Amino acid sequence: LKRAQAVCEDAAVDVRLIRADMLTHVEPESYDVVLNVFTSFGYFDDPRDNARVLRNAHESLAPGGQLLIDVMGKEVLAGWIGRPQIVELDGAYVVQRDTVLDSWTRLRTDWTLVRDGIARDASITSFLYSAAELRGLFEDAGFAEVECFGGFDGEPYDHHSKRLIVRGTKPGGDRGSS
């Protein structure tokens, strides 16, 4: 947050940065946009907690405000699951392995970082959502005009997409879905 604040100050942008727990943070009708990017949704073990995050965002948006979530959709993942991904870094590399769990409802991602002959492992588990499932969660949380895209440029979500971007609008505003 300190680096983000410094960048915003250098750019002469007036922002308020907040560190809070997404399970409890609500500021009624305070935001025009809520962004959740880089697959930062679906990590709670209880699916009701993931739904709570959507309801908190809905409650915190002003009428007409929008929530955007960026995840790896099930449809995208199905095209390449099972193939390890290797990322080379300066003097090191990371091997990423993804495993589908629980009848395609959850994903475990395992990483191995190798640097100077030493390997370190980490792993994380998250829920997997299809476009239809995530659209339904948005609607259950009260969002309208829910749309799914294959990228931030608004391209269609299909079998060529690399990401699933879902956008929903809190009813009551006059912004539309532009």
Side-chain angles (χ1 to χ4, degrees):
L1 287 175
K2 287 179 184 177
R3 284 195 309 186
Q5 185 67 45
V7 168
C8 291
E9 287 171 4
D10 288 346
V13 176
D14 184 25
V15 298
R16 182 171 62 105
L17 301 172
I18 300 167
R19 180 179 178 164
D21 183 339
M22 68 173 72
L23 274 177
T24 58
H25 181 74
V26 175
E27 290 188 45
E29 298 189 356
S30 295
Y31 304 111
D32 293 322
V33 176
V34 173
L35 296 173
N36 184 293
V37 294
F38 307 120
T39 309
S40 296
F41 179 77
Y43 285 94
F44 292 107
D45 291 332
D46 187 335
R48 293 173 296 192
D49 288 338
N50 294 317
R52 177 79 241 164
V53 170
L54 296 178
R55 289 191 306 275
N56 289 348
H58 183 272
E59 188 175 337
S60 295
L61 284 166
Q66 297 183 342
L67 169 64
L68 277 83
I69 290 187
D70 157 42
V71 295
M72 177 68 65
K74 273 186 195 180
E75 301 88 347
V76 173
L77 187 63
W80 60 268
I81 191 70
R83 290 178 264 165
Q85 309 289 317
I86 299 175
V87 177
E88 293 189 28
L89 306 168
D90 187 29
Y93 64 93
V94 175
V95 178
Q96 175 181 319
R97 294 164 310 284
D98 293 305
T99 305
V100 172
L101 306 170
D102 305 328
S103 301
W104 277 89
T105 60
R106 295 180 57 77
L107 177 72
R108 187 184 71 233
T109 301
D110 299 295
W111 295 276
T112 301
L113 168 66
V114 180
R115 177 179 288 145
D116 299 326
I118 298 171
R120 293 190 179 101
D121 296 310
S123 104
I124 195 162
T125 303
S126 64
F127 276 88
L128 282 173
Y129 298 102
S130 69
E133 290 166 336
L134 201 46
R135 174 184 281 139
L137 288 173
F138 267 63
E139 291 169 350
D140 290 347
F143 288 95
E145 302 176 36
V146 180
E147 299 178 276
C148 299
F149 303 99
F152 283 106
D153 60 358
E155 66 192 45
Y157 183 65
D158 60 23
H159 62 288
H160 298 294
S161 299
K162 300 228 184 308
R163 304 294 297 169
L164 168 59
I165 311 298
V166 181
R167 176 178 69 191
T169 302
K170 183 174 181 175
D174 56 6
R175 290 170 224 231
S177 62
S178 59

